[in-house]
Amino acid sequence: MKRYVYINDDSLEKDLYCHNRISNRKYTIWNFLPKNLWEQFSRFMNQYFLLIACLQLWSLITPVNPASTWGPLIFIFSVSATKEAWDDYNRYLSDKQANEKEVWIVRHGIRKLIQAQDIRVGNLVWLRENDEVPCDLVLLGTSDPQGLCYVETSALDGETDLKTRGIPSACLGIDVELLQKIKGVIECPSPDKDIRRFDANMRLFPPFLDNDVCPLTINNTLLQSCYLRNTEWACGVAIYTGNETKLGMSRGIPEPKLTAVDAMIDKLTGAIFVFQIVVVIVLGVAGNVWKDSEARKLWYVQYPKEGPWYELLVIPLRFELLCSIMIPISIKVSLDLVKGLYAKFIDWDDQMVDLETGIRSHAANTAISEDLGQVEYILTDKTGTLTENKMIFKRCCITGRYYGNENGDALTDEKLLTAVSSGSDDAIRFLKVMAICNTVIPVQSEMGGITYKAQSQDEEALVRAAAHLQMAFANKNGSIVDIRFNGALIQYEVLDILEFTSDRKRMSVVVKDCQTEKIFLLSKGADEAIFPCAHTGQHMRSIAEAVEQYAQLGLRTLCLAWRELGVDEYEEWALMFKDANSTLIDREWRVAEVCQRLEHDLEVLGVAAIEDCLQDGVPETIETLRKAGINFWMLTGDKQNTAIQIALSCNFVSPEPKGQLLLINGKTEDEVCRSLERVLLTMRITDSEPKDVAFVVDGWALEIALKHYRTAFTELAILSRTAICCRVTPSQKAQLVELLKSCDYRTLAIGDGGNDVRMIQQADIGVGISGREGLQAARASDYSIGKFRFLKRLILVHGRYSYNRTAFLSQYSFYKSLLICFIQIFFSFISGISGTSLFNSVSLMAYNVFYTSVPVVVSVLDKDLSESTVIQHPQILFYCQAGRLLNPSTFAGWFGRSLFHAIVVFVITIHSYAFEKSEMEELAMVALSGCIWLQAFVVALETNSFTILQHLAIWGNLVAFYIINWIVSAIPRAGMYTIMFRLCKQPSYWLTMIIIVAAGMGPVLALKYFRYTYRSSKINILQQAERMGGPILSLGNIEPQSRSLEKDLAPLSISQPKARNSVYEPLLSDSPNATRRSFGPGATFDFFQPQPRLSAGYARNCKDN
């Protein structure tokens, strides 16, 4: 689809395209209530609670007042709706501010001031310096004589360096006054969200230009939300407006991510629902049988002899309503609240602040903090993530001569300085390519010096190095480039730029020497992109050896080349290049094809080697996280040897003989097949020798492996703890993340540039580094940090604490609901199995909303171990990775505890008060008091680190229970008149509470003491060492153990892996039978190692895509 934009045509502006009003709102005043309710009731749990609330309106079956369910339901829905309304209101205010901003446009030949929301497609928009661009514009004129302007795009793509934008060639030389009368048409594609691409054509109507087609690219545009910098004014025509701009098309609500904890909670909720249905059916049948056999014989029951047709459903539905509280209605709100606090803890962490830039860590996604504690794979970019992305020119090789090898710095190498000063042709040409073949912008400072603005740190390093060697890029005036060499001015006219793409892996410029009129092609790029373009007579051995040598040192390499062009050759090619740039279909492919026709028979001048130092703390961070059982994959666009050296220096892999690197290479399917088979065979037999084995694969072999041998490559991914993937594209990074996710691993992707965004968004957890490449990765991520080293604290401290706290909170929520429900069930056995409720509606509502919620919310401050201990012993993260604190086994423990405590409360209450002349309300209040007392001690027992706030929440909540009930007991119409006053005056009441607490907590304390003393987990031992104040013994380092596979696996023929054998460990125990990340039977305290990644007893549930 195409769109035709008529420039400055007032007669068409109102009819064709949308207005410029921005709207990011999710709701309106009229649709908020129905739309929000629809969204909330689209969840199964909310539908379930709504059904229960509606059933309670049937007075014949409801055992309690409907307010006991409607009250909490309305409260919870109101909280969620209020949060949504507040967020949407803030979006509205932001939109209003942008829409009402005043801008200058041209209408009917007159410049006038209007609001941004009134801009129409085709309007001429005038901008002044530092103005924000209100919509997508095609640039038509600027204050610069050469038609250039500078824009800041950080709000769009996160890149902080200024970018150059230029007017189309057809608009050069048009006077400012004539711009207001310009007429023409732009043929452009329909709106899309690709901010890197704009393929369009423009025709100006006479008298400006006689219908000649002028191609337009992204470099001729100003996109919405960019800022005009260092330019007095600029003028452009609006092509996309409102939500049809590239930024507007990119907006959207990201897909919600489901954490492993949330998935487990959903499964447990389903299990409780099934259990509830079984209980309802059993009790419903029993109730109907008792009613027909016994109840009709009792005169005081007054059952009619014949009832309505639905009589058999009454008792089961009563029990359904009675048992509905088995599923806690407040669990979602409670979890959302504490997860929001987890995110704030990350934002407030002063130990995760980059002191150089002042950038704080930030949690953009508040719903997945507990997943940080269950990460199993980290996939990381290299440049700017592991390294500083501060490029320094270190060495070079020019026509076989090495510079910088002796002193490690080519810029101070006397041989190179002599070659430059003596006018060596090879050295001069090498420096000219360094200085001219780039997109760097030189900026004159007030002090007379020159600073460089570059989108690529590599280019900036080359230009600075050339300037240091007397080949200074002094100025760029339109297409004229000024080079100062030894004080002399050399001028070149840039005729064409052959831009860098991830497919071409090189860039070139066509320049004309203004003095000699000769035309040259200057190129630079990766060795595999430049070498095939070299002319056949050139000896490439010395240059190839230099590339390998520099890569072995961990340096980034760029090959530089050039050739002289004939005038006829260039003019013929230029016509094809212009034609390719004018097409609207497959323009990028056509341009690349035309570029290849010129980039041949190059003379390769040499190799430039650039150093990118590691960030502080990277090796230590990776070593610590590897001890925690986390596997690392490096995904980089660098060449193989460079990536390997960086991996060795930052503890990705161990050097020989402890470590072993296995290479997967090949250009054809057969070569990759044989290489992959050889590596798999080696990996399978390493069980006899515990080595740190890693595999290395390049982008070409990876493409073949993922396409034709995906199952075999998946097995390799399971077997290996470390992988180094070189020369990979952004799409391949995302594919590797998806591969590991399909094997049921929890993945974390971390990067710093725009090429890492797809990988970050694909992973379970995306982490962006606010680096020198901009903020694009940080904005697309779930968490943003200033440096890679903060990842250690993010995972080990925040991730682990979040998982532990969420595991306790979710299971405790079920425990308190099951406790009160079991008491109701037991009461039914002494009330004719009729579904009568022991507790009144007010007590039930207060129990769920107030009495048991406050202490749990404060559990977000609990720490089972100090932060220093967690960092010192990262191995304990295994408990989180294996799901040791939240699984069916631990939930069964909480289920059993709730059943036991319900028996204790019910039996003691009945025996203490049933035979007294007590009212039923008194009996219910004694049972409710027992529940509140037990839960206070349960929370206290499960709390590891007490603060004043926690003491106030636990014991203050107990005091508040009595204060609230004293107040209610003073109200005659409350149904509890004087009950609490009478109970508190009875010594038997307080004795009953003491007996309930002793009987309920005694066995729990005894069991915990037994586990803590005789079956201590590693966490228990560390806790004991912390409390005693003594030295903490080392848990030992992780040494990768041998990996065993099923013996009958044939090479490259992998059967579907067996389902995961989930054997879980109860809370606070160290089960020797646990196979997933278990420590094995008889494992000693000092030998704390993980099980093999894949074994006969435990195979990953890997989906073969």
Side-chain angles (χ1 to χ4, degrees):
M1 295 292 292
K2 299 178 183 178
R3 102 169 6 186
Y4 293 90
V5 177
Y6 291 87
I7 304 173
N8 204 15
D9 192 335
D10 298 324
S11 62
L12 299 175
E13 65 178 24
K14 296 182 179 179
D15 301 324
L16 296 178
Y17 306 112
C18 74
H19 50 68
N20 195 44
R21 185 178 298 114
I22 299 171
S23 179
N24 294 303
R25 297 178 62 187
K26 188 177 178 181
Y27 307 100
T28 66
I29 295 177
W30 308 111
N31 72 5
F32 173 76
L33 192 60
K35 188 174 181 179
N36 183 261
L37 288 176
W38 175 264
E39 290 177 352
Q40 295 208 53
F41 285 119
S42 64
R43 306 185 186 108
F44 170 75
M45 287 185 65
N46 289 346
Q47 295 172 4
Y48 169 77
F49 289 124
L50 179 63
L51 174 63
I52 296 300
C54 291
L55 286 176
Q56 286 191 343
L57 297 176
W58 189 2
S59 59
L60 181 63
I61 65 172
T62 180
V64 294
N65 192 308
S68 63
T69 299
W70 280 103
L73 189 67
I74 293 173
F75 173 77
I76 290 170
F77 281 5
S78 299
V79 170
S80 298
T82 302
K83 179 179 179 296
E84 287 286 331
W86 177 252
D87 291 342
D88 205 55
Y89 178 69
N90 287 329
R91 287 191 288 266
Y92 162 74
L93 292 179
S94 177
D95 292 344
K96 185 173 183 290
Q97 183 180 7
N99 289 330
E100 295 181 356
K101 188 173 295 184
E102 293 185 332
V103 295
W104 289 96
I105 71 162
V106 175
R107 278 189 182 163
H108 306 293
I110 302 173
R111 205 181 301 181
K112 60 186 298 186
L113 199 63
I114 65 169
Q115 291 186 345
Q117 62 186 352
D118 296 325
I119 296 175
R120 304 289 177 178
V121 171
N123 284 162
L124 289 182
V125 179
W126 289 79
L127 302 173
R128 295 169 296 181
E129 185 175 2
N130 298 324
D131 277 355
E132 182 181 2
V133 182
C135 59
D136 289 351
L137 307 174
V138 166
L139 197 61
L140 298 179
T142 73
S143 58
D144 183 78
Q146 302 298 323
L148 298 179
C149 70
Y150 302 100
V151 292
E152 178 186 317
T153 62
S154 59
L156 185 68
D157 58 16
E159 297 179 3
T160 54
D161 293 317
L162 296 182
K163 293 182 176 63
T164 305
R165 294 290 184 261
I167 64 176
S169 57
C171 297
L172 287 172
I174 297 180
D175 186 74
V176 179
E177 296 299 327
L178 291 178
L179 277 177
Q180 298 185 175
K181 303 176 182 178
I182 194 170
K183 299 286 185 179
V185 62
I186 295 175
E187 181 186 13
C188 58
S190 296
D192 60 62
K193 60 182 179 181
D194 189 352
I195 64 173
R196 307 287 180 185
R197 185 174 178 178
F198 178 70
D199 300 334
N201 292 324
M202 181 176 70
R203 295 176 186 268
L204 295 183
F205 298 154
F208 298 95
L209 194 69
D210 192 10
N211 267 347
D212 191 16
V213 175
C214 177
L216 303 176
T217 69
I218 196 68
N219 292 325
N220 303 124
T221 63
L222 299 178
L223 300 184
Q224 184 187 44
S225 294
C226 296
Y227 286 85
L228 186 68
R229 303 294 190 198
N230 300 340
T231 306
E232 185 178 346
W233 61 266
C235 171
V237 56
I239 49 171
Y240 302 127
T241 52
N243 289 337
E244 291 185 347
T245 63
K246 289 185 177 291
L247 181 63
M249 299 288 286
S250 301
R251 294 189 185 103
I253 301 174
E255 291 275 337
K257 295 184 177 181
L258 182 68
T259 68
V261 170
D262 288 336
M264 180 58 68
I265 291 174
D266 289 344
K267 293 178 182 178
L268 297 176
T269 302
I272 289 296
F273 179 73
V274 172
F275 172 74
Q276 174 188 321
I277 296 300
V278 172
V279 170
V280 167
I281 293 174
V282 171
L283 292 179
V285 171
N288 281 320
V289 170
W290 188 88
K291 179 186 68 174
D292 293 333
S293 61
E294 300 294 334
R296 297 188 190 279
K297 301 176 183 178
L298 303 175
W299 62 269
Y300 53 84
V301 176
Q302 296 182 350
Y303 268 123
K305 292 183 179 181
E306 292 185 4
W309 61 269
Y310 53 79
E311 184 180 13
L312 289 176
L313 298 176
V314 172
I315 293 180
L317 288 177
R318 281 183 180 177
F319 277 110
E320 173 60 33
L321 298 179
L322 204 63
C323 297
S324 63
I325 59 174
M326 280 188 181
I327 300 175
I329 193 173
S330 61
I331 186 171
K332 184 184 182 300
V333 172
S334 299
L335 288 176
D336 287 346
L337 176 60
V338 298
K339 287 181 179 183
L341 290 174
Y342 300 156
K344 285 301 179 183
F345 291 158
I346 295 173
D347 295 347
W348 296 334
D349 193 339
D350 292 334
Q351 297 186 47
M352 294 175 63
V353 179
D354 185 4
L355 298 180
E356 294 182 11
T357 61
I359 296 175
R360 302 187 69 92
S361 299
H362 174 63
N365 191 334
T366 62
I368 61 173
S369 296
E370 63 270 22
D371 248 7
L372 286 167
Q374 296 192 283
V375 170
E376 296 170 287
Y377 273 84
I378 292 178
L379 299 95
T380 176
D381 177 41
K382 182 183 75 67
T383 305
T385 303
L386 302 176
T387 62
E388 291 281 2
N389 201 17
K390 295 179 181 178
M391 307 300 179
I392 303 173
F393 181 85
K394 280 294 184 181
R395 306 187 187 198
C396 64
C397 174
I398 304 175
T399 60
R401 297 183 180 89
Y402 289 84
Y403 301 103
N405 279 12
E406 296 178 359
N407 61 357
D409 187 1
L411 298 180
T412 59
D413 192 316
E414 291 295 333
K415 296 179 182 179
L416 180 58
L417 296 176
T418 302
V420 173
S421 61
S422 63
S424 168
D425 289 340
D426 293 331
I428 299 303
R429 285 185 293 174
F430 188 85
L431 292 180
K432 283 183 179 179
V433 177
M434 288 174 58
I436 300 174
C437 186
N438 54 66
T439 57
V440 174
I441 303 171
V443 179
Q444 298 284 342
S445 65
E446 297 179 356
M447 304 299 294
I450 300 176
T451 58
Y452 296 107
K453 297 290 185 180
Q455 300 178 35
S456 166
Q457 303 299 323
D458 291 317
E459 289 188 341
E460 183 178 353
L462 292 178
V463 172
R464 289 183 180 278
H468 188 85
L469 295 171
Q470 306 305 315
M471 188 70 71
F473 182 11
N475 188 32
K476 187 173 184 179
N477 189 0
S479 61
I480 304 300
V481 174
D482 294 341
I483 303 294
R484 293 195 176 274
F485 178 60
N486 287 333
L489 178 64
I490 307 173
Q491 288 188 327
Y492 287 91
E493 180 184 358
V494 178
L495 301 178
D496 291 292
I497 298 178
L498 287 64
E499 296 182 350
F500 173 89
T501 66
S502 58
D503 293 326
R504 284 168 27 83
K505 296 184 179 178
R506 62 178 178 267
M507 82 160 287
S508 302
V509 295
V510 181
V511 297
K512 182 173 71 173
D513 190 322
C514 295
Q515 183 177 1
T516 65
E517 299 292 322
K518 291 183 178 180
I519 300 175
F520 300 96
L521 174 70
L522 312 181
S523 299
K524 76 172 189 297
D527 54 290
E528 72 265 27
I530 296 294
F531 286 177
C533 301
H535 67 81
T536 55
Q538 184 173 6
H539 296 288
M540 301 297 300
R541 181 176 178 180
S542 60
I543 297 177
E545 290 176 349
V547 170
E548 290 301 315
Q549 178 182 330
Y550 294 149
Q552 290 287 347
L553 298 173
L555 301 176
R556 296 164 61 88
T557 57
L558 283 172
C559 294
L560 278 61
W562 87 337
R563 80 177 178 98
E564 185 176 348
L565 303 177
V567 175
D568 293 339
E569 178 189 7
Y570 168 70
E571 289 179 351
E572 181 183 355
W573 176 87
L575 291 175
M576 293 188 293
F577 189 62
K578 181 179 180 180
D579 183 59
N581 275 303
S582 300
T583 185
L584 296 182
I585 300 174
D586 296 328
R587 177 183 290 189
E588 186 175 347
W589 179 82
R590 289 279 305 276
V591 168
E593 184 183 31
V594 173
C595 289
Q596 195 168 359
R597 296 191 178 193
L598 195 67
E599 295 170 325
H600 60 84
D601 294 329
L602 299 177
E603 179 185 352
V604 181
L605 301 174
V607 183
I610 301 172
E611 181 183 57
D612 187 10
C613 299
L614 285 178
Q615 293 183 20
D616 292 338
V618 167
E620 295 80 6
T621 299
I622 293 177
E623 182 181 10
T624 300
L625 293 177
R626 280 171 61 85
K627 287 180 179 179
I630 297 176
N631 306 313
F632 276 86
W633 282 29
M634 179 195 291
L635 314 180
T636 177
D638 272 346
K639 65 185 289 85
Q640 189 176 93
N641 286 336
T642 302
I644 290 174
Q645 293 305 313
I646 294 296
L648 289 170
S649 63
C650 64
N651 291 331
F652 250 81
V653 290
S654 304
E656 291 283 355
K658 187 177 180 181
Q660 183 179 4
L661 287 176
L662 305 176
L663 303 182
I664 302 174
N665 46 38
K667 298 296 183 181
T668 65
E669 290 184 28
D670 290 339
E671 291 175 354
V672 173
C673 177
R674 289 193 297 269
S675 179
L676 187 57
E677 183 177 6
R678 183 180 63 254
V679 170
L680 272 173
L681 182 62
T682 305
M683 298 286 279
R684 288 166 177 159
I685 64 176
T686 51
D687 55 349
S688 60
E689 185 179 357
K691 274 195 171 185
D692 186 6
V693 183
F695 71 87
V696 183
V697 62
D698 63 15
W700 190 275
L702 179 63
E703 186 73 22
I704 296 174
L706 290 176
K707 185 176 181 180
H708 300 286
Y709 306 109
R710 189 177 183 88
T711 305
F713 190 79
T714 301
E715 180 193 349
L716 181 63
I718 294 172
L719 289 172
S720 179
R721 296 193 64 210
T722 306
I724 302 171
C725 304
C726 317
R727 300 298 197 194
V728 293
T729 63
S731 61
Q732 287 177 325
K733 292 182 178 183
Q735 288 178 45
L736 290 172
V737 173
E738 178 60 32
L739 178 75
L740 291 172
K741 287 177 64 178
S742 70
C743 296
D744 202 21
Y745 288 113
R746 284 283 147 180
T747 58
L748 181 149
I750 180 170
D752 73 315
N755 60 335
D756 301 316
V757 168
R758 292 182 63 180
M759 170 181 72
I760 287 172
Q761 293 178 333
Q762 184 67 46
D764 294 304
I765 303 168
V767 179
I769 292 182
S770 304
R772 295 171 63 85
E773 288 191 25
L775 303 174
Q776 194 171 358
R779 287 176 174 167
S781 63
D782 301 305
Y783 301 92
S784 62
I785 57 179
K787 296 292 183 183
F788 182 86
R789 66 177 182 270
F790 298 145
L791 193 62
K792 174 170 64 175
R793 184 171 177 83
L794 184 68
I795 292 175
L796 296 181
V797 176
H798 293 285
R800 184 177 175 277
Y801 285 157
S802 297
Y803 171 79
N804 289 353
R805 294 160 179 168
T806 304
F808 166 71
L809 173 61
S810 55
Q811 292 178 115
Y812 177 82
S813 297
F814 280 102
Y815 158 79
K816 67 184 181 68
S817 296
L818 288 169
L819 172 61
I820 204 76
C821 186
F822 281 140
I823 294 176
Q824 295 273 54
I825 293 173
F826 295 152
F827 179 72
S828 68
F829 290 110
I830 64 173
S831 59
I833 320 181
S834 58
T836 303
S837 175
L838 172 63
F839 304 103
N840 61 52
S841 304
V842 176
S843 298
L844 285 176
M845 184 168 59
Y847 175 85
N848 278 314
V849 178
F850 301 110
Y851 297 153
T852 57
S853 297
V854 176
V856 182
V857 172
V858 183
S859 67
V860 297
L861 302 175
D862 188 38
K863 297 179 180 180
D864 60 337
L865 292 169
S866 66
E867 296 177 3
S868 59
T869 301
V870 171
I871 297 294
Q872 184 182 353
H873 301 283
Q875 300 94 327
I876 58 178
L877 189 68
F878 292 157
Y879 287 91
C880 301
Q881 292 170 327
R884 294 288 184 89
L885 302 184
L886 177 60
N887 54 61
S889 179
T890 58
F891 184 77
W894 283 97
F895 185 91
R897 183 185 296 188
S898 65
L899 179 60
F900 170 67
H901 283 171
I903 294 173
V904 168
V905 171
F906 183 76
V907 171
I908 294 176
T909 300
I910 291 299
H911 282 79
S912 299
Y913 281 84
F915 301 106
E916 303 271 340
K917 292 182 179 180
S918 304
E919 299 179 13
M920 184 173 171
E921 287 76 8
E922 290 186 17
L923 187 70
M925 184 54 66
V926 172
L928 184 64
S929 302
C931 293
I932 301 301
W933 275 86
L934 275 179
Q935 289 179 66
F937 279 92
V938 166
V939 174
L941 183 65
E942 298 298 333
T943 300
N944 296 284
S945 59
F946 281 99
T947 63
I948 295 177
L949 189 59
Q950 285 165 301
H951 277 296
L952 287 175
I954 295 172
W955 311 117
N957 184 73
L958 191 60
V959 174
F961 165 75
Y962 284 99
I963 294 175
I964 292 172
N965 280 282
W966 283 335
I967 295 173
V968 175
S969 296
I971 302 174
R973 297 183 180 181
M976 297 171 53
Y977 188 53
T978 71
I979 287 179
M980 186 55 77
F981 296 121
R982 283 181 281 157
L983 286 176
C984 290
K985 293 178 181 178
Q986 301 171 8
S988 59
Y989 170 79
W990 299 107
L991 181 61
T992 301
M993 294 301 104
I994 294 173
I995 295 174
I996 288 175
V997 171
M1001 297 305 300
V1004 176
L1005 280 169
L1007 181 60
K1008 187 165 186 175
Y1009 175 80
F1010 172 78
R1011 287 178 174 173
Y1012 194 85
T1013 306
Y1014 300 104
R1015 294 189 60 192
S1016 298
S1017 67
K1018 306 302 179 288
I1019 296 177
N1020 298 150
I1021 296 173
L1022 290 174
Q1023 288 173 331
Q1024 187 176 6
E1026 277 190 347
R1027 289 165 182 167
M1028 294 177 65
I1032 301 176
L1033 300 176
S1034 174
L1035 296 180
N1037 294 326
I1038 299 175
E1039 300 293 342
Q1041 293 182 341
S1042 57
R1043 304 164 178 84
S1044 61
L1045 282 171
E1046 288 76 6
K1047 295 181 180 180
D1048 57 346
L1049 282 178
L1052 295 183
S1053 177
I1054 306 172
S1055 60
Q1056 184 73 14
K1058 298 177 183 178
R1060 178 177 295 169
N1061 183 17
S1062 300
V1063 181
Y1064 297 93
E1065 177 194 39
L1067 188 66
L1068 295 173
S1069 70
D1070 194 11
S1071 172
N1073 297 321
T1075 56
R1076 184 172 187 258
R1077 297 272 193 184
S1078 65
F1079 311 120
T1084 61
F1085 175 50
D1086 289 322
F1087 189 70
F1088 193 62
Q1089 298 178 340
Q1091 283 292 95
R1093 299 294 304 169
L1094 187 65
S1095 63
Y1098 164 61
R1100 283 281 184 185
N1101 182 19
C1102 177
K1103 308 174 186 70
D1104 183 15
N1105 292 328

